[in-house]
Amino acid sequence: DHASGDETGELLSRLQNVAVARNAENLGFLRGCNQGAAMARGRYLLFLNNDTVMASGCLSALLGSAEADTRCGAVGGRLIWPDGRLQEAGSILWRDGWAQGYGRGQDPYRPEFSYVREIDFCSGALLLVRKDLFDRLGGFDVRYAPAYYEDADLCMEIRRLGYRVLYQPRALVYHNE
C-alpha cells in the first residue's frame, strides 16, 4: 500500500495469508515491485498491473510454460485492450532500443499471435519470472524508475544468462493500459 488515501488500507486488513507492505509514500511501480518481490517466498513472481482482468486459465498457462521448460526464465501472455484489439503478443526490441508490441492494434486471434514462441521481452503488465533469476539480477533496475523499460531490461538480462523468454497465447489478460 503506497500511502493510499482511500479504503485500500482497510480492505487490505481483511485479507488472510497475505503479507502487506505499508509505505509512507508512493514508491512507484518499479520500486514497489522490487519491494514485493523481496517479500515473496515462492518459486515464481507474477507481475500483473492493477488495470488488468485475467481470463480463465491465464495463470495455469503461464505456470505450465515455465514448468515445462527448465530454460524458461520468464513468460508473458496475450494483452488485449477492452475494445478487443491486441495490445501485444510479446514485444520486439529493435537495435536502436525502440520497443514495439508485436501485433499492436490487430485482431488478437490471428494465427501469428496464437502459438508459443521465444520473444525479446514481455510487458510487465503480465509477466511471470523465476524468483531465483529476478533475485540474481537484483530485481528491476532502479535506473528505470519510476517505470517503463524495466521489463525489457529484465528480460534481456534473463536472456543474457542463457534463459528463454516465452510468449504464451493461452495466458490472456484484458489491459486498459
Side-chain angles (χ1 to χ4, degrees):
D1 179 11
H2 294 286
S4 298
D6 58 12
E7 297 94 25
T8 300
E10 196 274 319
L11 292 171
L12 289 173
S13 70
R14 295 182 192 179
L15 298 175
Q16 296 177 7
N17 299 317
V18 173
V20 176
R22 297 188 189 278
N23 299 308
E25 63 183 359
N26 187 340
L27 301 180
F29 175 80
L30 188 152
R31 286 188 171 92
C33 286
N34 284 348
Q35 180 185 33
M39 296 170 63
R41 297 182 308 216
R43 290 182 55 206
Y44 298 99
L45 301 168
L46 176 65
F47 298 100
L48 180 68
N49 278 21
N50 64 350
D51 63 344
T52 59
V53 175
M54 293 178 90
S56 178
C58 179
L59 187 55
S60 296
L62 292 171
L63 286 169
S65 292
E67 293 287 322
D69 183 350
T70 59
R71 298 308 300 167
C72 178
V75 58
R78 190 181 331 222
L79 278 63
I80 300 176
W81 284 310
D83 69 3
R85 292 178 301 134
L86 183 64
Q87 178 190 333
E88 75 172 57
S91 290
I92 302 166
L93 191 60
W94 299 103
R95 288 179 191 225
D96 64 359
W98 180 258
Q100 179 179 9
Y102 183 62
R104 192 170 184 90
Q106 297 185 40
D107 174 353
Y109 299 102
R110 289 177 56 170
E112 59 265 41
F113 312 130
S114 299
Y115 65 95
V116 176
R117 67 184 188 288
E118 193 165 349
I119 57 172
D120 291 341
F121 78 96
C122 293
S123 167
L126 174 68
L127 181 62
L128 184 85
V129 180
R130 285 181 38 174
K131 181 170 173 27
D132 64 330
L133 293 179
F134 190 82
D135 291 344
R136 180 174 166 189
L137 292 168
F140 286 125
D141 193 324
V142 296
R143 70 181 148 174
Y144 299 108
Y148 295 111
Y149 215 77
E150 72 284 343
D151 45 8
D153 177 71
L154 178 71
C155 288
M156 296 305 287
E157 288 297 305
I158 288 170
R159 292 175 67 220
R160 183 184 59 79
L161 292 176
Y163 292 87
R164 300 174 72 207
V165 177
L166 300 178
Y167 164 73
Q168 170 52 265
R170 290 183 297 116
L172 188 149
V173 297
Y174 295 93
H175 184 214
N176 287 323
E177 192 180 31

